Amino acid sequence: MGIDYYKTLEINRHATDADVKKAYRRLALKFHPSSNNEPGSSEKFSQLGEAYEVLSDPRKKATYDRFGEEGLKGGIPLEYASGGAWSSKYVYHANPEKTFRQFFGGNNPFADFYTNDVPMQLGGLQPGMVKTQDAPIERDLHLSLDDLFHGCTKKIKISRRVMNEDGHTSSIKDKILSIEVKPGWREGTRVIFSKEGDQGPNTIPADIVFIVREKDHRLFKRKHNDLICTLNISLEMALTGFSVDVQTLDGRLLCVPINEIVHPAYEKVLTGEGMPFFQDSSQRGNLIISFNIQFPEKLSAERKQLIKKALSLK
């Protein structure tokens, strides 16, 4: 069966991101070695760190939910890595204190923070302590080619820990982040929301970074600002000419005549019919049509003679 991360955090599989954080906060404080000397508490504390690290990350969680611990830690083929799944082999760093510090903030996790709006009197803010910022929180933003062609607005709800007005207690609150996708954005474009991570008394909230990931399109593949589509044609069409209809991303139907002989390296280039340039959306790349020539599997002797005769004519 493998490790049940949900059971470790005492939540069900329908738990939200806020539920995961609440559960980890409660149990990590309960089983932290400095506050619990019972046998097995250190092992439980380590298990909590690993469970939180997996279930708080959408990609790791997606892989675990679908393929279990074996798929998460053994890796899965890229063709199955859809829906935000994690395709790399996951290895927990085995340092639950690191996970604990990153969650609560500060080098001394028990230095004046509060949980469930009730202060934990485990020490005060250390004089002269310099606040440090947590590492950026990176999340994939999956966008269709249509989204990247036209531009759009994506609204994403996050749950984070925020400090209350008294400056000492904290609570979990939801927030909607709005992303204005610009026409022409490419795979890997990074959208940064400064200091939108969890707040804490001894730490600067982490930046939240969304990284654009392009979804596959049924017809087009993108290469920089160009769009490439591959169409199947017969050998007869390749030798005698034809026309093809191509539906563009902006809804137009292009009727493209092909009068040349189509050889394996042949490409039809339609200038200015590709993706908009991010710097100047009035300019666009090219639409490149390539062809996959379907050869007949069998030919009768009579047909072979006819082809020989036709090709020998000058």
Side-chain angles (χ1 to χ4, degrees), residues 46-63:
S46 181
Q47 293 171 354
L48 290 168
E50 181 175 344
Y52 173 74
E53 187 169 273
V54 171
L55 297 184
S56 64
D57 185 302
R59 295 184 69 195
K60 296 185 183 73
K61 181 179 181 295
T63 301

Side-chain angles (χ1 to χ4, degrees), residues 41-276:
S41 61
S42 294
E43 181 181 358
K44 176 68 173 179
F45 182 66
S46 181
Q47 293 171 354
L48 290 168
E50 181 175 344
Y52 173 74
E53 187 169 273
V54 171
L55 297 184
S56 64
D57 185 302
R59 295 184 69 195
K60 296 185 183 73
K61 181 179 181 295
T63 301
Y64 174 73
D65 286 346
R66 183 175 179 186
F67 300 98
E69 182 194 5
E70 182 179 352
L72 179 70
K73 295 183 177 180
I76 60 173
L78 287 174
E79 58 265 30
Y80 294 108
S82 61
W86 181 270
S87 59
S88 305
K89 294 181 180 180
Y90 167 67
V91 179
Y92 182 53
H93 50 65
N95 185 352
E97 287 287 356
K98 175 182 176 181
T99 305
F100 189 80
R101 287 195 300 270
Q102 288 177 340
F103 182 87
F104 288 105
N107 294 325
N108 179 2
F110 285 99
D112 187 34
F113 67 83
Y114 303 79
T115 182
N116 295 329
D117 294 342
V118 178
M120 292 185 60
Q121 302 298 337
L122 298 175
L125 180 65
Q126 302 299 317
M129 176 178 288
V130 178
K131 288 187 175 184
T132 58
Q133 186 175 23
D134 293 338
I137 301 169
E138 296 185 347
R139 295 289 183 266
D140 287 344
L141 177 64
H142 295 274
L143 298 173
S144 69
L145 206 52
D146 294 271
D147 291 334
L148 296 169
F149 182 90
H150 296 286
C152 62
T153 300
K154 295 290 183 180
K155 295 186 180 295
I156 300 175
K157 184 172 76 171
I158 63 170
S159 297
R160 61 176 189 152
R161 183 165 61 97
V162 299
M163 299 301 296
N164 296 327
E165 292 183 359
D166 59 16
H168 299 292
T169 61
S170 66
S171 55
I172 296 293
K173 291 186 178 180
D174 292 337
K175 182 173 183 177
I176 302 296
L177 300 180
S178 182
I179 300 176
E180 297 296 329
V181 178
K182 303 298 183 184
W185 275 7
R186 296 183 183 181
E187 171 92 11
T189 298
R190 299 168 68 88
V191 185
I192 301 174
F193 289 88
S194 179
K195 301 177 183 178
E196 290 289 359
D198 286 342
Q199 298 177 359
N202 301 327
T203 185
I204 300 171
D207 295 338
I208 296 180
V209 182
F210 290 96
I211 304 173
V212 170
R213 303 299 181 197
E214 290 183 4
K215 296 179 182 178
D216 291 337
H217 191 271
R218 62 176 182 81
L219 179 61
F220 300 115
K221 291 187 179 296
R222 182 180 182 181
K223 184 176 181 181
H224 306 303
N225 292 315
D226 293 336
L227 292 175
I228 303 171
C229 71
T230 302
L231 303 177
N232 294 326
I233 61 171
S234 66
L235 179 59
E236 176 189 355
M237 295 168 67
L239 296 175
T240 61
F242 57 98
S243 64
V244 294
D245 292 334
V246 180
Q247 184 83 36
T248 64
L249 291 175
D250 55 3
R252 292 176 295 117
L253 185 64
L254 302 180
C255 182
V256 184
I258 307 295
N259 300 316
E260 303 86 357
I261 298 295
V262 177
H263 51 80
Y266 176 85
E267 292 179 337
K268 184 69 172 180
V269 179
L270 304 181
T271 304
E273 294 291 353
M275 294 292 291

